[in-house]
Amino acid sequence: LDHHWTRDLFATAGQRLDVWDHNRSEPVHSLSWGADSLQSVRFNPVEQYMLASTASDRSVVIYDLRAATPLHKMTMAMKTNCVAWNPMEAFNFVLANEDHNLYTYDVRRFDTALCVHKDFVSAVLSVDFSPTGKEFVAGSYDRSVRIFRYNEGRSREVYHTKRMQRIYCASFSGDARWVMTG
């Protein structure tokens, strides 16, 4: 589930990607591209008609709502759990993957990742950019939270304590001063 940044729209992931209007009881758009089920969906904060989804068949799909069609599909080696768009560079996004890494891609070039972010020892379950776009936070099944600079392969900070549980969601506050996890 993700809400549009400026319009009264929200997107849900399930057997297909549905885009809903607050004032309607039926989806405005229903989009699919051959996946069994979608895991996550995220609107682009700058390119308002672009959104990305991750699926159970290891694919990542970019959609354009203006044409109501999928634009590009990429298949990863392992399943991707979450996607986050860079709020300052609208064409870059980060994927949280089951192979313990995060991958930064440019939407204009899907052949290779711009950066592979390492340091986790288990599946990465969540990722979110700070509002400045200079760094992002990621949470993992290994019970750690790491903060990465957007263009560096190693984390700049790691948080882990004996009482921490697995991190299923992590996000920055709106002023980029706090990290919230769950």
Side-chain angles (χ1 to χ4, degrees), residues 97-129:
N97 205 283
E98 288 279 329
D99 68 357
H100 315 177
N101 297 325
L102 296 117
Y103 298 91
T104 299
Y105 279 95
D106 188 325
V107 78
R108 301 167 296 186
R109 292 184 49 225
F110 282 101
D111 52 347
T112 60
L114 295 176
C115 187
V116 178
H117 310 277
K118 301 180 178 192
D119 282 345
F120 285 109
V121 294
S122 190
V124 186
L125 301 176
S126 179
V127 63
D128 186 46
F129 266 96

Side-chain angles (χ1 to χ4, degrees), residues 50-51 89 110 124 133 164:
M50 189 178 291
L51 57 130
E89 296 177 354
F110 282 101
V124 186
M164 282 179 75

Side-chain angles (χ1 to χ4, degrees), residues 5-18:
W5 287 79
T6 58
R7 299 175 60 204
D8 287 338
L9 298 175
F10 64 95
T12 58
Q15 291 181 345
R16 64 186 179 275
L17 177 80
D18 289 326

Side-chain angles (χ1 to χ4, degrees), residues 36-69:
D36 292 337
S37 66
L38 300 177
Q39 304 296 317
S40 68
V41 61
R42 198 64 76 90
F43 277 100
N44 189 320
V46 179
E47 291 291 333
Q48 298 182 9
Y49 294 99
M50 189 178 291
L51 57 130
S53 70
T54 63
S56 60
D57 65 350
R58 305 181 339 253
S59 65
V60 177
V61 182
I62 306 296
Y63 300 91
D64 186 356
L65 291 182
R66 290 172 291 203
T69 59

Side-chain angles (χ1 to χ4, degrees), residues 77-89:
M78 294 186 78
K79 187 178 88 159
T80 300
N81 293 315
C82 190
V83 59
W85 292 95
N86 188 326
M88 293 298 154
E89 296 177 354

